[in-house]
Amino acid sequence: MSRKRRKIQLELAFTWGAEGEARSEPMEGIELPMAESEPERTIENERMMEEVCEKKNVKQAFRRVKSNRGAPGIDGMTVDQLRGHLNENWPQIRAELLEGTWRPKPVKRVKLPKPDGGTRNIGIPTVEDRFVQQAIAQVLQKRWEPKFSDQSYGFRPRRNAHQAIRQAQKYVQEGYRVMVDIDLEKFFDQVNHDRLMARIAEETDDKRILRILRRLLQCGVMEQGLVSPTIKGTPQGGPLSPLLSNIVLDELDKELERRGHRFVRYADDCKIYVRTRRAAERVMQSVRKFIEKRLRLRVNEAKSAVGRPQERVFLGFTLTSEKRRRIAEKSIKRFRARIRHLTRRRIRVRIEQVIREVTAYLTGWIGYFGIAEARNIIRKLDEWVRHRLRAMIWHGLKTPKKRRQHLLSLGVELKLARKVGGSSVGIWPISGWYVLGTAMPPSYFDSLGLRRLLSNPMVQANRRVRTRTHGGVGGRKP
């Protein structure tokens, strides 16, 4: 459809307010290609780009990009500079989007370490590209969300990992106690562009959307100053990547549903639950064949296996033979490693600062792992964190005199303060002594702002659950 260029008072375009809100303001002297009339509220698939450029959609995209923050891309522009950039350049960006001529810049590649070893490639788009990706993702999400499987929980609105864990637990409780654990090898780097674009074309006839999506997939990666082409994969780091991954793997979901399997998928982590090991081996072979032949992806043989739910980790949890949710051993080890790092014996660091850092980590950690039916484990971790902090405080008191004075200030009697303060026992053992535990009880750390893991509402909801002691959590090792 032909479009006329005409000068307008920028009533459709808008400037960006101080808090990221868009406000209508006339702006003179800006040329903007427009359709003869405003796009209708109900936009057909062949006019999807008009929906992307609607004022309401781009305002929402701006707020999301601003709230997500993130590092600058190859052009160095920060999120805080996006408002001014759009205020000056939005008419041109909008015109290029409507004409299908907008082009993204290469993404900046960053390698991040994985918790279990190795690295993960993250692609950081420019802030403008993230804004455009977000605007497109919001429109595509409306089309695809109703079509996705109920057993898919990753990167979807009103769905989360806790729901996935509870659904897996339900299958185990129903008697499906053998798990087919399928892990895709470097999934985000292996997605076939042609298959992905064919899937997206099923939901839109707007060639401009398809053209720009293809450019976003093939915009290239900059690493050490050199740009390499991308012929496959959806770089992690952009707002579109999670949605595109769900579109790719929705085909797997539909196949598993067609076969009548009980499964849970979170991103590229898929678990299928069956009754017997023999059935599990058969399912593993057939699903692997489907993934490799049909989806053109690779199964990670090292991480994929058949086993009992208590033997396999799913989203940081295991499901025990008693059908309860437990924190996986690997998750506890990562927790301890992080706390050790935060409470390492540093010079000239105030305990209040350390506790702020520890509390921030504990808040996020228990917000996720608080659904575990493992009150005893969490209680022991709580005690261990305070033990670490007592050791750090004791280490900071360099002389017997300072240690004695500190104990006296906490209400310890003089004779005992002299004995403990002058002791040559090592820092970790002495910080576990009863006298230090009494002098610096949980309430002492409460007054300093330390968060207790056991105070989390989800943990409190599980307080009546009978749990077993998790080996190696309490321990005397620092």
mmCIF file of all heavy atoms in Angstrom, residues 235-271:
data_model
loop_
_atom_site.group_PDB
_atom_site.id
_atom_site.type_symbol
_atom_site.label_atom_id
_atom_site.label_comp_id
_atom_site.label_asym_id
_atom_site.label_seq_id
_atom_site.Cartn_x
_atom_site.Cartn_y
_atom_site.Cartn_z
ATOM 1 N N PRO A 235 20.600 -15.318 19.791
ATOM 2 C CA PRO A 235 21.509 -14.900 20.864
ATOM 3 C C PRO A 235 20.771 -14.577 22.159
ATOM 4 O O PRO A 235 19.815 -13.806 22.168
ATOM 5 C CB PRO A 235 22.181 -13.653 20.276
ATOM 6 C CG PRO A 235 22.019 -13.783 18.800
ATOM 7 C CD PRO A 235 20.737 -14.490 18.591
ATOM 8 N N GLN A 236 21.217 -15.196 23.256
ATOM 9 C CA GLN A 236 20.639 -14.884 24.562
ATOM 10 C C GLN A 236 21.010 -13.463 24.954
ATOM 11 O O GLN A 236 22.128 -13.018 24.742
ATOM 12 C CB GLN A 236 21.159 -15.860 25.607
ATOM 13 C CG GLN A 236 20.644 -17.277 25.452
ATOM 14 C CD GLN A 236 21.233 -18.208 26.500
ATOM 15 O OE1 GLN A 236 22.237 -18.861 26.243
ATOM 16 N NE2 GLN A 236 20.624 -18.278 27.658
ATOM 17 N N GLY A 237 20.078 -12.770 25.534
ATOM 18 C CA GLY A 237 20.345 -11.419 25.994
ATOM 19 C C GLY A 237 19.347 -10.401 25.488
ATOM 20 O O GLY A 237 19.182 -9.346 26.088
ATOM 21 N N GLY A 238 18.649 -10.702 24.386
ATOM 22 C CA GLY A 238 17.658 -9.790 23.845
ATOM 23 C C GLY A 238 16.252 -10.163 24.297
ATOM 24 O O GLY A 238 15.981 -11.311 24.629
ATOM 25 N N PRO A 239 15.316 -9.199 24.288
ATOM 26 C CA PRO A 239 13.940 -9.482 24.716
ATOM 27 C C PRO A 239 13.218 -10.502 23.848
ATOM 28 O O PRO A 239 12.282 -11.160 24.307
ATOM 29 C CB PRO A 239 13.260 -8.110 24.624
ATOM 30 C CG PRO A 239 14.369 -7.112 24.656
ATOM 31 C CD PRO A 239 15.538 -7.769 23.992
ATOM 32 N N LEU A 240 13.627 -10.651 22.598
ATOM 33 C CA LEU A 240 12.945 -11.575 21.689
ATOM 34 C C LEU A 240 13.358 -13.023 21.894
ATOM 35 O O LEU A 240 12.596 -13.942 21.594
ATOM 36 C CB LEU A 240 13.214 -11.173 20.235
ATOM 37 C CG LEU A 240 12.122 -10.393 19.503
ATOM 38 C CD1 LEU A 240 12.612 -9.958 18.139
ATOM 39 C CD2 LEU A 240 10.850 -11.207 19.366
ATOM 40 N N SER A 241 14.565 -13.247 22.372
ATOM 41 C CA SER A 241 15.112 -14.598 22.419
ATOM 42 C C SER A 241 14.253 -15.585 23.211
ATOM 43 O O SER A 241 14.005 -16.698 22.744
ATOM 44 C CB SER A 241 16.538 -14.552 22.981
ATOM 45 O OG SER A 241 17.139 -15.824 22.915
ATOM 46 N N PRO A 242 13.755 -15.224 24.416
ATOM 47 C CA PRO A 242 12.919 -16.187 25.146
ATOM 48 C C PRO A 242 11.657 -16.582 24.393
ATOM 49 O O PRO A 242 11.281 -17.758 24.362
ATOM 50 C CB PRO A 242 12.582 -15.438 26.440
ATOM 51 C CG PRO A 242 13.673 -14.436 26.606
ATOM 52 C CD PRO A 242 14.028 -14.015 25.222
ATOM 53 N N LEU A 243 10.996 -15.601 23.774
ATOM 54 C CA LEU A 243 9.774 -15.915 23.019
ATOM 55 C C LEU A 243 10.080 -16.794 21.832
ATOM 56 O O LEU A 243 9.362 -17.764 21.552
ATOM 57 C CB LEU A 243 9.101 -14.614 22.572
ATOM 58 C CG LEU A 243 7.883 -14.790 21.662
ATOM 59 C CD1 LEU A 243 6.789 -15.573 22.365
ATOM 60 C CD2 LEU A 243 7.368 -13.437 21.179
ATOM 61 N N LEU A 244 11.156 -16.491 21.109
ATOM 62 C CA LEU A 244 11.516 -17.300 19.943
ATOM 63 C C LEU A 244 11.858 -18.725 20.350
ATOM 64 O O LEU A 244 11.547 -19.678 19.633
ATOM 65 C CB LEU A 244 12.693 -16.651 19.206
ATOM 66 C CG LEU A 244 12.425 -15.258 18.599
ATOM 67 C CD1 LEU A 244 13.663 -14.751 17.869
ATOM 68 C CD2 LEU A 244 11.230 -15.281 17.665
ATOM 69 N N SER A 245 12.489 -18.891 21.511
ATOM 70 C CA SER A 245 12.815 -20.240 21.971
ATOM 71 C C SER A 245 11.543 -21.035 22.247
ATOM 72 O O SER A 245 11.467 -22.229 21.944
ATOM 73 C CB SER A 245 13.695 -20.177 23.224
ATOM 74 O OG SER A 245 12.958 -19.700 24.334
ATOM 75 N N ASN A 246 10.530 -20.387 22.805
ATOM 76 C CA ASN A 246 9.264 -21.074 23.054
ATOM 77 C C ASN A 246 8.548 -21.420 21.755
ATOM 78 O O ASN A 246 7.888 -22.458 21.660
ATOM 79 C CB ASN A 246 8.357 -20.213 23.940
ATOM 80 C CG ASN A 246 8.627 -20.406 25.413
ATOM 81 O OD1 ASN A 246 9.106 -21.455 25.844
ATOM 82 N ND2 ASN A 246 8.354 -19.392 26.214
ATOM 83 N N ILE A 247 8.670 -20.557 20.754
ATOM 84 C CA ILE A 247 8.052 -20.853 19.458
ATOM 85 C C ILE A 247 8.705 -22.083 18.833
ATOM 86 O O ILE A 247 8.034 -22.958 18.279
ATOM 87 C CB ILE A 247 8.167 -19.627 18.525
ATOM 88 C CG1 ILE A 247 7.284 -18.482 19.044
ATOM 89 C CG2 ILE A 247 7.779 -19.984 17.099
ATOM 90 C CD1 ILE A 247 7.426 -17.182 18.284
ATOM 91 N N VAL A 248 10.030 -22.174 18.938
ATOM 92 C CA VAL A 248 10.739 -23.334 18.394
ATOM 93 C C VAL A 248 10.325 -24.616 19.118
ATOM 94 O O VAL A 248 9.989 -25.630 18.490
ATOM 95 C CB VAL A 248 12.271 -23.133 18.495
ATOM 96 C CG1 VAL A 248 13.003 -24.419 18.139
ATOM 97 C CG2 VAL A 248 12.713 -22.002 17.576
ATOM 98 N N LEU A 249 10.323 -24.568 20.453
ATOM 99 C CA LEU A 249 10.077 -25.779 21.229
ATOM 100 C C LEU A 249 8.599 -26.093 21.414
ATOM 101 O O LEU A 249 8.255 -27.156 21.943
ATOM 102 C CB LEU A 249 10.760 -25.661 22.593
ATOM 103 C CG LEU A 249 12.290 -25.650 22.522
ATOM 104 C CD1 LEU A 249 12.895 -25.423 23.894
ATOM 105 C CD2 LEU A 249 12.818 -26.949 21.930
ATOM 106 N N ASP A 250 7.722 -25.191 20.973
ATOM 107 C CA ASP A 250 6.302 -25.512 21.007
ATOM 108 C C ASP A 250 5.998 -26.727 20.132
ATOM 109 O O ASP A 250 5.061 -27.487 20.412
ATOM 110 C CB ASP A 250 5.482 -24.302 20.544
ATOM 111 C CG ASP A 250 3.994 -24.553 20.618
ATOM 112 O OD1 ASP A 250 3.494 -24.782 21.735
ATOM 113 O OD2 ASP A 250 3.333 -24.549 19.561
ATOM 114 N N GLU A 251 6.775 -26.909 19.091
ATOM 115 C CA GLU A 251 6.590 -28.077 18.232
ATOM 116 C C GLU A 251 6.883 -29.370 19.000
ATOM 117 O O GLU A 251 6.198 -30.388 18.815
ATOM 118 C CB GLU A 251 7.503 -27.964 17.008
ATOM 119 C CG GLU A 251 7.108 -28.862 15.859
ATOM 120 C CD GLU A 251 7.840 -28.534 14.573
ATOM 121 O OE1 GLU A 251 8.572 -27.521 14.526
ATOM 122 O OE2 GLU A 251 7.688 -29.309 13.607
ATOM 123 N N LEU A 252 7.890 -29.329 19.877
ATOM 124 C CA LEU A 252 8.163 -30.485 20.734
ATOM 125 C C LEU A 252 7.014 -30.715 21.712
ATOM 126 O O LEU A 252 6.588 -31.856 21.941
ATOM 127 C CB LEU A 252 9.472 -30.262 21.493
ATOM 128 C CG LEU A 252 9.831 -31.291 22.567
ATOM 129 C CD1 LEU A 252 10.009 -32.683 21.954
ATOM 130 C CD2 LEU A 252 11.096 -30.871 23.311
ATOM 131 N N ASP A 253 6.507 -29.628 22.311
ATOM 132 C CA ASP A 253 5.377 -29.759 23.238
ATOM 133 C C ASP A 253 4.183 -30.423 22.573
ATOM 134 O O ASP A 253 3.549 -31.318 23.146
ATOM 135 C CB ASP A 253 4.974 -28.372 23.766
ATOM 136 C CG ASP A 253 6.064 -27.693 24.559
ATOM 137 O OD1 ASP A 253 6.985 -28.399 25.020
ATOM 138 O OD2 ASP A 253 6.010 -26.465 24.714
ATOM 139 N N LYS A 254 3.870 -29.968 21.368
ATOM 140 C CA LYS A 254 2.709 -30.518 20.665
ATOM 141 C C LYS A 254 2.905 -31.995 20.349
ATOM 142 O O LYS A 254 1.955 -32.796 20.402
ATOM 143 C CB LYS A 254 2.463 -29.723 19.377
ATOM 144 C CG LYS A 254 2.072 -28.268 19.599
ATOM 145 C CD LYS A 254 0.765 -28.164 20.370
ATOM 146 C CE LYS A 254 0.238 -26.730 20.397
ATOM 147 N NZ LYS A 254 1.060 -25.837 21.211
ATOM 148 N N GLU A 255 4.123 -32.393 20.033
ATOM 149 C CA GLU A 255 4.397 -33.796 19.741
ATOM 150 C C GLU A 255 4.251 -34.646 21.002
ATOM 151 O O GLU A 255 3.682 -35.745 20.965
ATOM 152 C CB GLU A 255 5.802 -33.945 19.164
ATOM 153 C CG GLU A 255 6.229 -35.380 18.866
ATOM 154 C CD GLU A 255 5.426 -36.032 17.767
ATOM 155 O OE1 GLU A 255 4.732 -35.309 17.006
ATOM 156 O OE2 GLU A 255 5.481 -37.274 17.646
ATOM 157 N N LEU A 256 4.750 -34.161 22.128
ATOM 158 C CA LEU A 256 4.615 -34.897 23.383
ATOM 159 C C LEU A 256 3.152 -35.004 23.809
ATOM 160 O O LEU A 256 2.716 -36.038 24.331
ATOM 161 C CB LEU A 256 5.437 -34.220 24.482
ATOM 162 C CG LEU A 256 6.957 -34.212 24.279
ATOM 163 C CD1 LEU A 256 7.651 -33.449 25.405
ATOM 164 C CD2 LEU A 256 7.518 -35.626 24.182
ATOM 165 N N GLU A 257 2.387 -33.950 23.573
ATOM 166 C CA GLU A 257 0.957 -34.005 23.880
ATOM 167 C C GLU A 257 0.249 -35.014 22.981
ATOM 168 O O GLU A 257 -0.638 -35.753 23.434
ATOM 169 C CB GLU A 257 0.339 -32.612 23.716
ATOM 170 C CG GLU A 257 0.731 -31.631 24.807
ATOM 171 C CD GLU A 257 0.160 -30.251 24.565
ATOM 172 O OE1 GLU A 257 -0.322 -29.994 23.429
ATOM 173 O OE2 GLU A 257 0.180 -29.416 25.490
ATOM 174 N N ARG A 258 0.623 -35.018 21.708
ATOM 175 C CA ARG A 258 0.003 -35.959 20.773
ATOM 176 C C ARG A 258 0.249 -37.405 21.199
ATOM 177 O O ARG A 258 -0.629 -38.263 21.050
ATOM 178 C CB ARG A 258 0.554 -35.713 19.363
ATOM 179 C CG ARG A 258 -0.121 -36.534 18.267
ATOM 180 C CD ARG A 258 0.569 -36.340 16.940
ATOM 181 N NE ARG A 258 1.914 -36.922 16.933
ATOM 182 C CZ ARG A 258 2.144 -38.227 16.758
ATOM 183 N NH1 ARG A 258 1.158 -39.076 16.595
ATOM 184 N NH2 ARG A 258 3.393 -38.673 16.757
ATOM 185 N N ARG A 259 1.427 -37.646 21.763
ATOM 186 C CA ARG A 259 1.762 -39.002 22.214
ATOM 187 C C ARG A 259 1.174 -39.324 23.585
ATOM 188 O O ARG A 259 1.284 -40.456 24.059
ATOM 189 C CB ARG A 259 3.282 -39.173 22.278
ATOM 190 C CG ARG A 259 3.988 -39.002 20.938
ATOM 191 C CD ARG A 259 5.482 -39.234 21.101
ATOM 192 N NE ARG A 259 6.220 -38.968 19.869
ATOM 193 C CZ ARG A 259 7.513 -39.217 19.703
ATOM 194 N NH1 ARG A 259 8.222 -39.720 20.717
ATOM 195 N NH2 ARG A 259 8.120 -38.942 18.561
ATOM 196 N N GLY A 260 0.587 -38.337 24.237
ATOM 197 C CA GLY A 260 -0.036 -38.580 25.537
ATOM 198 C C GLY A 260 0.924 -38.618 26.706
ATOM 199 O O GLY A 260 0.595 -39.171 27.768
ATOM 200 N N HIS A 261 2.108 -38.020 26.567
ATOM 201 C CA HIS A 261 3.098 -38.038 27.649
ATOM 202 C C HIS A 261 2.759 -37.011 28.730
ATOM 203 O O HIS A 261 2.170 -35.964 28.461
ATOM 204 C CB HIS A 261 4.493 -37.752 27.111
ATOM 205 C CG HIS A 261 5.060 -38.855 26.282
ATOM 206 N ND1 HIS A 261 5.065 -40.159 26.695
ATOM 207 C CD2 HIS A 261 5.655 -38.844 25.051
ATOM 208 C CE1 HIS A 261 5.631 -40.913 25.762
ATOM 209 N NE2 HIS A 261 5.991 -40.148 24.761
ATOM 210 N N ARG A 262 3.193 -37.293 29.935
ATOM 211 C CA ARG A 262 3.141 -36.342 31.047
ATOM 212 C C ARG A 262 4.516 -35.699 31.151
ATOM 213 O O ARG A 262 5.489 -36.377 31.445
ATOM 214 C CB ARG A 262 2.757 -37.057 32.344
ATOM 215 C CG ARG A 262 1.295 -37.495 32.364
ATOM 216 C CD ARG A 262 1.036 -38.593 33.348
ATOM 217 N NE ARG A 262 -0.377 -38.937 33.379
ATOM 218 C CZ ARG A 262 -0.994 -39.710 32.461
ATOM 219 N NH1 ARG A 262 -0.288 -40.228 31.455
ATOM 220 N NH2 ARG A 262 -2.288 -39.963 32.539
ATOM 221 N N PHE A 263 4.578 -34.423 30.898
ATOM 222 C CA PHE A 263 5.875 -33.745 30.829
ATOM 223 C C PHE A 263 5.765 -32.344 31.378
ATOM 224 O O PHE A 263 4.676 -31.779 31.524
ATOM 225 C CB PHE A 263 6.377 -33.714 29.380
ATOM 226 C CG PHE A 263 5.611 -32.768 28.485
ATOM 227 C CD1 PHE A 263 6.085 -31.487 28.231
ATOM 228 C CD2 PHE A 263 4.407 -33.161 27.891
ATOM 229 C CE1 PHE A 263 5.384 -30.610 27.411
ATOM 230 C CE2 PHE A 263 3.700 -32.293 27.071
ATOM 231 C CZ PHE A 263 4.183 -31.024 26.832
ATOM 232 N N VAL A 264 6.920 -31.784 31.687
ATOM 233 C CA VAL A 264 7.053 -30.389 32.105
ATOM 234 C C VAL A 264 8.253 -29.819 31.363
ATOM 235 O O VAL A 264 9.324 -30.433 31.347
ATOM 236 C CB VAL A 264 7.276 -30.265 33.629
ATOM 237 C CG1 VAL A 264 7.450 -28.810 34.021
ATOM 238 C CG2 VAL A 264 6.122 -30.890 34.396
ATOM 239 N N ARG A 265 8.077 -28.642 30.763
ATOM 240 C CA ARG A 265 9.205 -28.003 30.073
ATOM 241 C C ARG A 265 9.376 -26.585 30.602
ATOM 242 O O ARG A 265 8.414 -25.833 30.713
ATOM 243 C CB ARG A 265 8.976 -27.957 28.559
ATOM 244 C CG ARG A 265 10.191 -27.362 27.817
ATOM 245 C CD ARG A 265 10.004 -27.361 26.309
ATOM 246 N NE ARG A 265 8.928 -26.491 25.888
ATOM 247 C CZ ARG A 265 9.033 -25.156 25.763
ATOM 248 N NH1 ARG A 265 10.169 -24.550 26.078
ATOM 249 N NH2 ARG A 265 8.007 -24.442 25.376
ATOM 250 N N TYR A 266 10.627 -26.271 30.927
ATOM 251 C CA TYR A 266 10.984 -24.905 31.304
ATOM 252 C C TYR A 266 12.152 -24.494 30.413
ATOM 253 O O TYR A 266 13.266 -24.986 30.577
ATOM 254 C CB TYR A 266 11.375 -24.815 32.779
ATOM 255 C CG TYR A 266 11.463 -23.396 33.282
ATOM 256 C CD1 TYR A 266 10.379 -22.796 33.897
ATOM 257 C CD2 TYR A 266 12.619 -22.645 33.108
ATOM 258 C CE1 TYR A 266 10.441 -21.486 34.352
ATOM 259 C CE2 TYR A 266 12.703 -21.341 33.538
ATOM 260 C CZ TYR A 266 11.609 -20.760 34.162
ATOM 261 O OH TYR A 266 11.688 -19.453 34.593
ATOM 262 N N ALA A 267 11.885 -23.612 29.445
ATOM 263 C CA ALA A 267 12.884 -23.229 28.444
ATOM 264 C C ALA A 267 13.371 -24.486 27.723
ATOM 265 O O ALA A 267 12.560 -25.237 27.194
ATOM 266 C CB ALA A 267 14.019 -22.437 29.085
ATOM 267 N N ASP A 268 14.673 -24.735 27.713
ATOM 268 C CA ASP A 268 15.192 -25.901 26.992
ATOM 269 C C ASP A 268 15.366 -27.114 27.901
ATOM 270 O O ASP A 268 15.999 -28.095 27.515
ATOM 271 C CB ASP A 268 16.522 -25.559 26.321
ATOM 272 C CG ASP A 268 17.583 -25.106 27.319
ATOM 273 O OD1 ASP A 268 17.202 -24.680 28.427
ATOM 274 O OD2 ASP A 268 18.773 -25.168 26.987
ATOM 275 N N ASP A 269 14.810 -27.061 29.103
ATOM 276 C CA ASP A 269 14.908 -28.161 30.067
ATOM 277 C C ASP A 269 13.569 -28.904 30.085
ATOM 278 O O ASP A 269 12.560 -28.368 30.563
ATOM 279 C CB ASP A 269 15.240 -27.609 31.452
ATOM 280 C CG ASP A 269 15.719 -28.685 32.405
ATOM 281 O OD1 ASP A 269 15.753 -29.859 32.004
ATOM 282 O OD2 ASP A 269 16.060 -28.344 33.552
ATOM 283 N N CYS A 270 13.548 -30.127 29.575
ATOM 284 C CA CYS A 270 12.301 -30.886 29.434
ATOM 285 C C CYS A 270 12.389 -32.186 30.234
ATOM 286 O O CYS A 270 13.365 -32.933 30.101
ATOM 287 C CB CYS A 270 12.030 -31.183 27.963
ATOM 288 S SG CYS A 270 10.469 -32.039 27.660
ATOM 289 N N LYS A 271 11.369 -32.439 31.052
ATOM 290 C CA LYS A 271 11.290 -33.662 31.846
ATOM 291 C C LYS A 271 10.001 -34.398 31.474
ATOM 292 O O LYS A 271 8.923 -33.795 31.478
ATOM 293 C CB LYS A 271 11.288 -33.369 33.350
ATOM 294 C CG LYS A 271 12.313 -32.340 33.803
ATOM 295 C CD LYS A 271 13.739 -32.819 33.649
ATOM 296 C CE LYS A 271 14.718 -31.802 34.214
ATOM 297 N NZ LYS A 271 16.116 -32.142 33.949
#
